Amino acid sequence: MILYYAPGACSQASHIALIEAEIPHRRVKVGRDRRTDDGADFNLINSKGYTPALDLGDGTILTENLAILVYIAEKSGKLLAKDGAERWRALEATTFMTTEIHRNFMPFFRGGSVQEKEQAAQILLMRFGTISEQLGNKAFLVGEQMTIADCYLFVMLSWAAMMGVVLPQRLSDHLTRMKSLPSVTRMLSAEGLA
């Protein structure tokens, strides 16, 4: 498998999941100019033009973090319960982050006005409050084992810290703890962000 990624982008979630699931893979960095490390046009790999993209090795290219994360979990048998409430809670949390948290960072990444950034920060504070309640005193969002939701959460918490978005203390502490997880430290090192 080949993971097409951009350092610090949401593709980190898929990268963490691949490492955590112990799935052999190769990484190909995609630059802001949409060229890969070897000079290829990334738009020909993923016409959407953004990472992540996962080449399954048989000509199939998966895009969108949620789809890639579920694929990794299903392929490995890790990071997502096979059935029951834990499975649905992990999918619920991951979907919530992709639709309600991720999109509210756009003013920060796309040069929004001060007012747009302040409004987004207020929405993010509410959304992170929801995630903080779900986390509670558990080790991870759904329990004592990492799931795909936690892979995505790491990226969202990292972005919040980078952009100065206020996080509930529980989530700030959780980000610090997650940075020490072997899969996260390996990802950060591999992407040159350690």
Side-chain angles (χ1 to χ4, degrees):
M1 282 188 217
I2 302 171
L3 174 67
Y4 293 91
Y5 76 99
C10 65
S11 52
Q12 287 182 320
S14 294
H15 194 174
I16 293 167
L18 284 165
I19 295 168
E20 191 71 29
E22 300 176 348
I23 294 177
H25 63 281
R26 185 167 66 86
R27 296 175 316 280
V28 174
K29 183 178 172 183
V30 178
R32 290 184 186 270
D33 62 356
R34 299 295 171 231
R35 306 300 290 179
T36 64
D37 275 345
D38 59 6
D41 181 352
F42 181 64
N43 291 311
L44 298 176
I45 296 162
N46 178 9
S47 62
K48 296 172 184 171
Y50 53 80
T51 62
L54 185 65
D55 183 332
L56 304 185
D58 63 359
T60 304
I61 306 286
L62 280 183
T63 64
E64 303 300 329
N65 253 326
L66 182 57
I68 293 170
L69 290 168
V70 172
Y71 175 82
I72 291 167
E74 293 294 320
K75 182 164 182 63
S76 68
K78 299 177 181 179
L79 299 171
L80 188 62
K82 296 262 184 247
D83 54 29
E86 284 187 9
R87 177 182 181 84
W88 305 116
R89 289 294 180 211
L91 289 169
E92 176 184 59
T94 308
T95 303
F96 179 75
M97 283 183 277
T98 62
T99 60
E100 298 301 321
I101 295 179
H102 187 149
R103 72 184 174 102
N104 279 296
F105 277 105
M106 289 306 119
F108 296 97
F109 290 117
R110 298 214 171 123
S113 68
V114 171
Q115 182 180 2
E116 289 170 324
K117 290 177 184 176
E118 287 174 355
Q119 184 179 14
Q122 287 302 311
I123 294 169
L124 285 165
L125 180 60
M126 288 187 307
R127 301 298 186 253
F128 279 124
T130 300
I131 293 293
S132 180
E133 287 177 25
Q134 182 175 353
L135 177 63
N137 294 321
K138 300 184 298 291
F140 296 102
L141 274 176
V142 181
E144 300 307 310
Q145 300 296 316
M146 181 186 275
T147 69
I148 60 172
D150 299 291
C151 298
Y152 211 96
L153 178 59
F154 173 79
V155 180
M156 297 299 100
L157 295 178
S158 295
W159 287 0
M162 181 174 65
M163 300 299 176
V165 173
V166 176
L167 287 171
Q169 188 61 48
R170 180 182 292 150
L171 292 183
S172 291
D173 294 344
H174 189 65
L175 174 61
T176 300
R177 198 168 53 74
M178 286 195 76
K179 285 181 180 177
S180 68
L181 297 174
S183 56
V184 173
T185 59
R186 281 183 54 200
M187 178 278 297
L188 290 170
S189 179
E191 294 193 10
L193 302 170

